[in-house]
Amino acid sequence: MKRLLLLLPACLPALSLAVVLEKTCHCDLVRNQPNQVLFNLTTSVNWRPKLWVVKPSDQNDCRNKCDVAFADKKQLIGNALCSYPLALAPDQVPITLHSWLGENTQTYTGKTYVLNRRQVVQCPADWRSNSNNQMGGIAEDSRCKKEFALPAGLLSVPRPADGTPIGTWGFWWGDGLVAWNTADNGGNPQPVSPQQFKCVITP
């Protein structure tokens, strides 16, 4: 019996040490205004260092691991957010990574991104899809385009590089101009049925 009592104190510190020192690196993708968690990445980060004290450098390590986990799953997360209701994950909503190490430490704000949520549409027969360049094709970014010849007065004018924007109207391309679709220029597309969205997180 005496021998058993002597062994117990030697075992207890080792058991409690693992519990006390382990700190979980938490990682959330949060919608700004209002703050609302859209996606939890803690499992993907999978980092639980054993520390007596959490230092700023440890928090930075957690934040960096949160950034890496998000980068690895960026498109998959975008696809998942597309299934959310529009009120929860609307187009152009800012989203930010939040991370913290342990249970009672300061939350570190990481990089901010933008959710681009575009309705999938069918372009008119004489307009090209911006997604695949097909006439009358499906556009996953809601954009259709159409080529126009240069007006006679611009034929002798030096042309900018291909793709140079012309305000929000369109852009220069080759020997002509390309217009983006609007409700007023005949390029108004129709949503595909059933309704679909394509989500891309930028940058």
Side-chain angles (χ1 to χ4, degrees):
M1 179 65 75
K2 288 184 179 180
R3 185 177 180 183
L4 179 61
L5 291 175
L6 289 173
L7 287 175
L8 283 175
C11 297
L12 287 175
L15 293 172
S16 61
L17 191 64
V19 175
V20 171
L21 295 184
E22 188 172 273
K23 310 293 183 184
T24 298
C25 176
H26 300 270
C27 179
D28 286 335
L29 184 65
V30 178
R31 174 186 172 177
N32 301 351
Q33 298 178 353
N35 282 349
Q36 192 165 20
V37 176
L38 296 179
F39 206 90
N40 180 272
L41 286 149
T42 302
T43 301
S44 298
V45 173
N46 192 27
W47 189 51
R48 296 177 179 83
K50 292 179 173 57
L51 304 166
W52 281 114
V53 178
V54 176
K55 303 186 297 295
S57 59
D58 301 319
Q59 288 281 20
N60 284 333
D61 288 342
C62 177
R63 179 167 53 184
N64 291 338
K65 291 179 184 297
C66 182
D67 287 340
V68 170
F70 173 76
D72 288 343
K73 295 181 175 292
K74 190 174 179 181
Q75 189 52 58
L76 291 176
I77 293 171
N79 295 341
L81 294 182
C82 249
S83 66
Y84 287 23
L86 274 171
L88 182 60
D91 182 41
Q92 296 299 298
V93 66
I95 49 181
T96 303
L97 288 172
H98 288 191
S99 63
W100 67 99
L101 189 55
E103 299 303 324
N104 297 301
T105 54
Q106 177 184 356
T107 298
Y108 277 49
T109 301
K111 297 177 182 177
T112 295
Y113 301 85
V114 173
L115 176 65
N116 300 279
R117 183 170 183 152
R118 299 286 186 261
Q119 189 166 27
V120 180
V121 299
Q122 176 92 45
C123 293
D126 56 344
W127 286 71
R128 293 185 185 276
S129 159
N130 191 51
S131 299
N132 56 28
N133 222 34
Q134 297 289 321
M135 296 294 286
I138 300 295
E140 293 185 338
D141 60 356
S142 298
R143 305 195 87 177
C144 306
K145 56 190 179 183
K146 189 173 186 178
E147 300 89 348
F148 291 89
L150 279 175
L154 293 178
L155 290 175
S156 59
V157 175
R159 298 182 180 93
D162 285 352
T164 301
I166 308 170
T168 57
W169 183 88
F171 54 93
W172 291 84
W173 193 264
D175 294 328
L177 307 173
V178 178
W180 293 120
N181 61 291
T182 70
D184 301 322
N185 65 9
N188 199 28
Q190 296 300 313
V192 298
S193 182
Q195 189 179 58
Q196 298 177 37
F197 290 92
K198 176 74 173 179
C199 289
V200 177
I201 298 173
T202 56

